[in-house]
Amino acid sequence: MPTVGAQQPGRRPNRDNSGHADIRDEVLRVGVGRAIAHHGELLQGVFEGDDGRLHRSLITLPMVRLQALATFWPRPGRAIRTRPSKRPKAARAARLTLEHLGLRDAGGDLTIESAIPIGHGYGSSTADVVAAIRATAAASGIHLRPSTTSRLAVAAERASDAIACGDQAVLFAHREGRVLEYFGGEFPPLVILGFKADGAGPIDTLRLPPARYDSEEIQLFRVLRGLAQHAVRQQDPRLLGRVATVSAMISQRHLPKPAFEAIRQMADDCGACGVQVAHSGTLMGILLDATRPRNSATAADLARKLGDAGFKDITTFGLNAEGMLGS
Amino acid sequence: MSGDYLRALETPRFAQLAPNLHAAAFSLMKLMPARFMVDRAESAGRLRPGGQIVETTSGTFGLAIAMLASSRGYGLTLITASSLVDPKLKHRLERLGATVLVIEDPQGDGNQRGRLDCLKEILRTSPDTFWPQQYDSPDNRLAYARLAEQVVRSFGRIDCLVGCVGTGGSLCGTGGFLREVFPDLRIIAVDTHRSMLFGQPVGRRMLRGLGNSVLPQNVKHEMIDEVHWVGALPAYATAHALFREHGLFMGPTSGAATLVALWHARNNPNAATIAILPDEGHRYADTVYNDEWLAGLKDWPVSIPAAPVALDRIEPAEETAWTCFAWKRRTLAEVLAQ
């Protein structure tokens, strides 16, 4: 789980019965929040909610190795200043969090330190926003539920992804900031070979028109959702790999990735579980069953082949894989 | 949505029939395509409040659409033929407010042409009427993504799907979606002798509710790996066994699908197999589940064949027989040309 904490001890705020802080007279302290990156999605499409309506939703592929760290430094006055400057979404997130906590008149400086590259589908913007929300909440001594954090994140940047849920497998309505289905736990163990095509430039996620899925695709998403739930329940990496592969194939009709077929072939040849893509970015990944022996040799071999084929930013990371924090 | 009873009624229960065989047992499977088609017509504006629906059917699709039309306030006209009328079902449809038009049928073949002429006349005089077209509308197949979802949610990987073919909607719909996620899925079609769906000459069929004397567009021959033709008598006997051995009180087409699925599962013990059982046995209480009626049948009681007779050339057989043919994902024209 991402961490929330305080660097300087301060007086604990008083809380009313709703659990919200009543801290108008309290001194805010320095608060720290972290948020993880992701490596695109395992599944993205439109899915039926309990209301019978369709909701754009996704299953995020968490990438714990890359993180954003935000620090909230309280300062008199209502202004929120960010370092680096020009992080308006993070500033808005901090402001919305203060308002949510009943601290309308509070303000401060928000420092963001992030190792997450911008514009390639790693969710850098959402990580900044979620880290900012957590830092601001920590500054007032409050822990927020993932559902509250997600809702604030969507309010701050229009769309979000599921990283507020950490490494829990959920189907997340990213334009509404709420979970459509809790799959019931952590992901099956995977090792992911991540990469992107040479010359793939950054994509402004929010300026991308939303994909228009036809009714056959919409019905297929229903089946993929069911299979994802089974894969999580049974901790079956191969079935989750099938979900990701079919979702990536549908994505090819909307935001095609170069050399996709060659990647699929490469994945098949090495006995991988499947392939995944960032549905609104440039990232691709080959998914390996983390419980299989000789994975590091397979991963090294794949990395070499991908490099020879001209792919860039080749990286290996684990998802719920024992003994693997990534390279 | 949790309170929508018809939605719950369209949801099958799963029954384990063998270590590697599960059956999706429906109370009334046709509710699944009927609701999907009505929902789609509503959202597309083809069906407005208080609107009219028309369909040619003498079977369970009529019952399904009548329940939906009645609960949602639509008028419904169902067109059937005199040779196909089941008086109890007709009364049930009329209790739901449906108008049942019975077309004369001197040849006793269902007079599909006469029924379609009547339907087109209704569409001509009332052009706002919604015609679901379960034979030819792709929505029929699309509706079965819900069954495919339930199957993979429950069982994950599936290697073989066995189901009856009448319109092609359930088998080609479910099979199509399952094959998108499991490309090696084997699809086995269950038909009956003298149905024209898989290249037999049309004739009198004793087993109703599967097979057809016309070819619906929802039958996608090139998806099918293997075709079985099951006679009425082994289908009845297998339905009886389903009730005795599993408490599953199903219609005779479910018996036909079970017979084929059990055989396939036994011979392929590592293949996770699913059989689709489309309806319950209550409609057949006076026939398939009535010993006096059964005693009047030629060749009853029947001993259930242990295995099908593999055909080199497609041809009809007796109602006691069970035959099969390696279709190998070919079109109807390709198979007939061989």
Side-chain angles (χ1 to χ4, degrees), chain A residues 48 50-52 181 215-216 219-220 222-227 229-230 233 239 242 246, chain B residues 1 7 36 40 142-143 145-146 148-149 152-157 177 180-183:
Chain A
E48 193 178 69
D50 287 339
D51 56 2
E181 180 172 353
S215 49
E216 194 154 343
Q219 290 296 87
L220 182 54
R222 187 188 269 292
V223 184
L224 295 177
R225 171 187 186 170
L227 190 60
Q229 195 266 342
H230 183 92
R233 200 174 74 225
L239 290 180
R242 271 313 293 165
V246 179
Chain B
M1 299 304 285
R7 195 179 164 88
F36 187 76
R40 296 259 292 168
L142 290 183
R146 193 160 133 72
E149 177 197 357
V152 297
R153 246 181 215 269
S154 300
F155 306 111
R157 185 186 165 83
F177 285 111
E180 291 274 351
V181 285
F182 305 121

Side-chain angles (χ1 to χ4, degrees), chain B residues 114-161:
Chain B
R115 288 152 70 189
L116 276 175
D117 288 345
C118 173
L119 184 142
K120 291 201 168 137
E121 181 58 22
I122 290 173
L123 289 176
R124 197 182 61 77
T125 52
S126 316
D128 287 345
T129 304
F130 169 59
W131 176 25
Q133 294 195 69
Q134 65 151 340
Y135 277 28
D136 299 328
S137 164
D139 284 353
N140 184 351
R141 276 176 292 124
L142 290 183
Y144 287 95
R146 193 160 133 72
L147 175 56
E149 177 197 357
Q150 285 158 344
V151 166
V152 297
R153 246 181 215 269
S154 300
F155 306 111
R157 185 186 165 83
I158 300 300
D159 301 301
C160 178
L161 178 70

Side-chain angles (χ1 to χ4, degrees), chain B residues 178-199:
Chain B
L178 287 178
R179 198 175 264 165
E180 291 274 351
V181 285
F182 305 121
D184 298 332
L185 176 82
R186 190 166 183 79
I187 300 179
I188 300 182
V190 180
D191 195 359
T192 191
H193 312 300
R194 286 166 290 282
S195 150
M196 64 89 68
L197 292 178
F198 292 95

Side-chain angles (χ1 to χ4, degrees), chain A residues 26-100:
Chain A
E26 297 289 334
V27 180
L28 288 172
R29 53 194 163 168
V30 176
V32 174
R34 290 174 195 276
I36 58 171
H38 63 69
H39 196 271
E41 297 77 31
L42 290 162
L43 171 62
Q44 180 165 333
V46 294
F47 302 87
E48 193 178 69
D50 287 339
D51 56 2
R53 293 172 185 281
L54 293 173
H55 302 262
R56 290 185 181 273
S57 308
L58 45 77
I59 303 176
T60 293
L61 173 55
M63 189 176 185
V64 178
R65 185 159 66 70
L66 292 179
Q67 298 201 350
L69 171 73
T71 311
F72 184 88
W73 310 81
R75 219 165 36 82
R78 293 190 71 244
I80 306 278
R81 293 192 313 197
T82 64
R83 273 199 309 267
S85 59
K86 293 187 183 160
R87 297 291 170 107
K89 290 174 188 170
R92 196 151 63 235
R95 164 61 45 211
L96 287 166
T97 306
L98 290 172
E99 285 174 9
H100 173 74

Side-chain angles (χ1 to χ4, degrees), chain B residues 281-299:
Chain B
H282 305 288
R283 273 181 73 203
Y284 315 95
D286 296 335
T287 54
V288 176
Y289 288 98
N290 178 343
D291 285 336
E292 281 176 39
W293 183 86
L294 288 166
L297 298 179
K298 178 174 169 284
D299 298 325

Side-chain angles (χ1 to χ4, degrees), chain A residues 197-235:
Chain A
D198 189 17
I203 288 177
D204 183 348
T205 317
L206 286 174
R207 298 186 73 173
L208 213 61
R212 309 264 320 164
Y213 300 109
D214 66 29
S215 49
E216 194 154 343
E217 289 169 335
I218 291 170
Q219 290 296 87
L220 182 54
F221 286 135
R222 187 188 269 292
V223 184
L224 295 177
R225 171 187 186 170
L227 190 60
Q229 195 266 342
H230 183 92
V232 172
R233 200 174 74 225
Q234 298 295 326
Q235 291 289 291

Side-chain angles (χ1 to χ4, degrees), chain A residues 259-312:
Chain A
F260 181 73
E261 278 311 312
I263 296 298
R264 274 193 66 195
Q265 194 57 54
M266 214 180 280
D268 274 358
D269 292 347
C270 73
C273 304
V275 299
Q276 62 83 221
V277 299
H279 290 65
S280 54
T282 55
L283 297 175
M284 292 186 266
I286 294 178
L287 309 174
L288 301 175
D289 177 351
T291 64
R292 255 181 26 158
R294 290 187 41 79
N295 255 325
S296 43
T298 309
D301 188 42
L302 267 176
R304 196 166 46 246
K305 281 182 183 156
L306 288 163
D308 290 347
F311 291 99
K312 300 293 175 206

